[in-house]
Structures are given as C-alpha cells and as structure tokens.
Amino acid sequence: MRRSSVVLSGLLLGACAIPNTIESLDDRTPPPEFGRPVWVRTCAGVGAWIGGIGGGIASVVLLPVTWPISKVAGDSLGEQASSEFVLFPAIAGASFGHAFFGLPADVLDYGFRRVWVEPSPPLTGYDFVPMVPMVLPEAAPGAGGEGAGAGAGNGAK
C-alpha cells in the first residue's frame, strides 16, 4: 500500500503541468472561425492528453535527474523556467501528441473539404470611413500673420 501511494503521489507531480499545457495548446490552435472544424480540434486535444499523460509519467521517471539540475542552475533559469525544465517531458509529450494526432486530421480535412469550399473571412468586414479634415483656428485680426514680431528687439533697422 505504501509503495503504491508513493508512486501515485509521484505521478501527481506532473499532473499540474499537463492541463495547463493542453489549455495553452488549445488557445493557440486555430479556432473554428479559421476553418478548423470541431473534429480536427478534438483529435488534436485527445492527442495532447495522450502525449501529456505519457510525458507526465516520463517526468516522474526523470525527476531524479531534472530536479537536481534545476536546483544547480538556481536563479539563472527564472521562476517559471525552473518548473518547465523539471516537467519538460510532460510539456513536450503534450505538444508532440497534439501535432501527431491533429496533423493527420487537419490534412484530411484540408484535402477533402477546405480546398473545395470558399473560405469565409475570420473577421467581420470593415467599411473605411474617412476622418473629418482638421480645421485650423483663424488668426486674430491685426496679428500680422506669421513672423509679425521678427526682427523686433534685435536692433535691426
């Protein structure tokens, strides 16, 4: 019982990096407005979870190597980079799984659907409306225009 609880708690170390990585991958994946349907995004998400779980297990296995290296590097890695270094197998596994499962689905969708349909623009149309020209204030009467005071007070005759 004790050994299994140690293994399970070790596996939980990588679990916190996996959902955050997959969420950031989903944020950077093109949304449906750019032509990617839900099934392509779902394939990529499933691949990210599969790769992330495998990478999380690898993170725990490599922890005796990566954790001391991150401690030796100290502050030169920075606060976030230190945890990213320790959990890099989980992050890399999620990224690889996202590409490995999402790319074939995207190629199939592109080759059999998106090539043949007219793309819709991802942004709404914008009609150009010119600005009203700038109106300059009128000069005061008797000011004499530009350079009215030039030469005054410098001794010119």
Side-chain angles (χ1 to χ4, degrees):
M1 179 69 175
R2 179 171 273 185
R3 180 177 283 189
S4 64
S5 64
V6 170
V7 171
L8 288 175
S9 63
L11 288 175
L12 290 176
L13 290 173
C16 58
I18 296 169
N20 293 335
T21 302
I22 293 170
E23 184 178 317
S24 67
L25 285 171
D26 284 341
D27 288 343
R28 289 173 179 83
T29 300
E33 295 87 37
F34 287 106
R36 303 297 195 296
V38 175
W39 71 274
V40 172
R41 294 169 51 87
T42 303
C43 288
V46 167
W49 274 105
I50 291 171
I53 290 170
I57 294 169
S59 292
V60 172
V61 170
L62 292 175
L63 197 60
V65 175
T66 56
W67 186 73
I69 292 173
S70 71
K71 291 302 177 190
V72 168
D75 292 337
S76 63
L77 284 178
E79 186 176 316
Q80 296 295 327
S82 178
S83 64
E84 287 178 1
F85 178 76
V86 170
L87 300 172
F88 80 89
I91 295 169
S95 300
F96 180 76
H98 187 268
F100 189 74
F101 283 86
L103 184 65
D106 197 26
V107 167
L108 283 174
D109 179 60
Y110 184 78
F112 293 109
R113 187 187 65 85
R114 278 188 286 163
V115 170
W116 309 108
V117 296
E118 182 70 29
S120 60
L123 302 175
T124 59
Y126 175 74
D127 296 326
F128 177 71
V129 179
M131 291 178 56
V132 178
M134 186 172 68
V135 178
L136 297 174
E138 296 287 327
E146 286 186 14
N154 61 2
K157 293 189 181 190

